[in-house]
Short mmCIF file of all heavy atoms in Angstrom, two decimals:
data_model
loop_
_atom_site.label_atom_id
_atom_site.label_comp_id
_atom_site.label_asym_id
_atom_site.label_seq_id
_atom_site.Cartn_x
_atom_site.Cartn_y
_atom_site.Cartn_z
N ILE A 211 -45.00 27.08 13.89
CA ILE A 211 -44.26 28.26 13.44
C ILE A 211 -44.11 29.20 14.63
O ILE A 211 -45.06 29.90 15.01
CB ILE A 211 -44.99 28.97 12.27
CG1 ILE A 211 -45.17 28.01 11.11
CG2 ILE A 211 -44.21 30.21 11.83
CD1 ILE A 211 -46.00 28.56 9.97
N VAL A 212 -42.93 29.19 15.23
CA VAL A 212 -42.70 30.05 16.39
C VAL A 212 -42.71 31.50 15.92
O VAL A 212 -41.99 31.89 15.00
CB VAL A 212 -41.37 29.70 17.07
CG1 VAL A 212 -41.05 30.71 18.18
CG2 VAL A 212 -41.43 28.29 17.64
N GLY A 213 -43.55 32.29 16.56
CA GLY A 213 -43.80 33.66 16.12
C GLY A 213 -45.22 33.81 15.61
O GLY A 213 -45.77 34.91 15.58
N LYS A 214 -45.84 32.67 15.21
CA LYS A 214 -47.25 32.67 14.79
C LYS A 214 -48.05 31.66 15.61
O LYS A 214 -49.01 32.03 16.29
CB LYS A 214 -47.36 32.34 13.29
CG LYS A 214 -46.97 33.49 12.39
CD LYS A 214 -47.40 33.25 10.95
CE LYS A 214 -47.14 34.50 10.10
NZ LYS A 214 -47.59 34.30 8.70
N THR A 215 -47.69 30.39 15.54
CA THR A 215 -48.40 29.37 16.32
C THR A 215 -48.25 29.65 17.81
O THR A 215 -49.20 29.54 18.58
CB THR A 215 -47.84 27.97 16.01
OG1 THR A 215 -47.74 27.80 14.60
CG2 THR A 215 -48.72 26.88 16.59
N VAL A 216 -47.04 29.98 18.20
CA VAL A 216 -46.73 30.29 19.58
C VAL A 216 -45.50 31.20 19.57
O VAL A 216 -44.70 31.15 18.63
CB VAL A 216 -46.46 29.00 20.40
CG1 VAL A 216 -45.19 28.30 19.92
CG2 VAL A 216 -46.40 29.25 21.90
N THR A 217 -45.35 32.03 20.60
CA THR A 217 -44.16 32.88 20.69
C THR A 217 -43.23 32.32 21.77
O THR A 217 -43.65 31.53 22.63
CB THR A 217 -44.50 34.34 21.06
OG1 THR A 217 -45.06 34.37 22.38
CG2 THR A 217 -45.50 34.93 20.05
N ILE A 218 -41.97 32.74 21.72
CA ILE A 218 -41.02 32.32 22.76
C ILE A 218 -41.47 32.83 24.12
O ILE A 218 -41.36 32.13 25.14
CB ILE A 218 -39.60 32.80 22.42
CG1 ILE A 218 -39.08 32.03 21.20
CG2 ILE A 218 -38.66 32.61 23.60
CD1 ILE A 218 -37.71 32.45 20.73
N ASP A 219 -42.00 34.06 24.16
CA ASP A 219 -42.48 34.61 25.44
C ASP A 219 -43.59 33.75 26.02
O ASP A 219 -43.64 33.53 27.24
CB ASP A 219 -42.95 36.05 25.24
CG ASP A 219 -41.79 37.00 24.94
OD1 ASP A 219 -40.82 36.99 25.71
OD2 ASP A 219 -41.85 37.72 23.93
N GLU A 220 -44.48 33.24 25.15
CA GLU A 220 -45.55 32.37 25.64
C GLU A 220 -45.01 31.03 26.15
O GLU A 220 -45.53 30.48 27.13
CB GLU A 220 -46.58 32.14 24.52
CG GLU A 220 -47.42 33.35 24.23
CD GLU A 220 -48.25 33.21 22.95
OE1 GLU A 220 -47.97 32.30 22.14
OE2 GLU A 220 -49.18 34.03 22.76
N LEU A 221 -43.96 30.53 25.49
CA LEU A 221 -43.35 29.28 25.97
C LEU A 221 -42.80 29.47 27.38
O LEU A 221 -42.91 28.58 28.23
CB LEU A 221 -42.23 28.85 25.02
CG LEU A 221 -42.65 28.37 23.62
CD1 LEU A 221 -41.42 28.08 22.77
CD2 LEU A 221 -43.52 27.12 23.72
N PHE A 222 -42.20 30.63 27.64
CA PHE A 222 -41.66 30.91 28.96
C PHE A 222 -42.79 31.14 29.98
O PHE A 222 -42.78 30.57 31.07
CB PHE A 222 -40.77 32.16 28.90
CG PHE A 222 -39.37 31.90 28.42
CD1 PHE A 222 -38.99 30.67 27.92
CD2 PHE A 222 -38.42 32.91 28.47
CE1 PHE A 222 -37.70 30.43 27.49
CE2 PHE A 222 -37.11 32.68 28.04
CZ PHE A 222 -36.75 31.45 27.54
N GLU A 223 -43.74 32.01 29.62
CA GLU A 223 -44.73 32.49 30.58
C GLU A 223 -45.87 31.49 30.83
O GLU A 223 -46.42 31.44 31.93
CB GLU A 223 -45.30 33.82 30.09
CG GLU A 223 -44.25 34.94 30.06
CD GLU A 223 -44.70 36.14 29.22
OE1 GLU A 223 -45.88 36.16 28.80
OE2 GLU A 223 -43.86 37.03 28.98
N GLU A 224 -46.21 30.70 29.81
CA GLU A 224 -47.40 29.84 29.93
C GLU A 224 -47.08 28.35 29.95
O GLU A 224 -47.90 27.54 30.41
CB GLU A 224 -48.36 30.13 28.76
CG GLU A 224 -48.86 31.57 28.75
CD GLU A 224 -49.69 31.89 27.51
OE1 GLU A 224 -50.15 30.93 26.84
OE2 GLU A 224 -49.88 33.09 27.22
#
Side-chain angles (χ1 to χ4, degrees):
I211 302 174
V212 173
K214 284 194 173 182
T215 312
V216 66
T217 65
I218 290 178
D219 291 308
E220 288 169 345
L221 291 175
F222 278 8
E223 295 164 8
E224 299 174 17

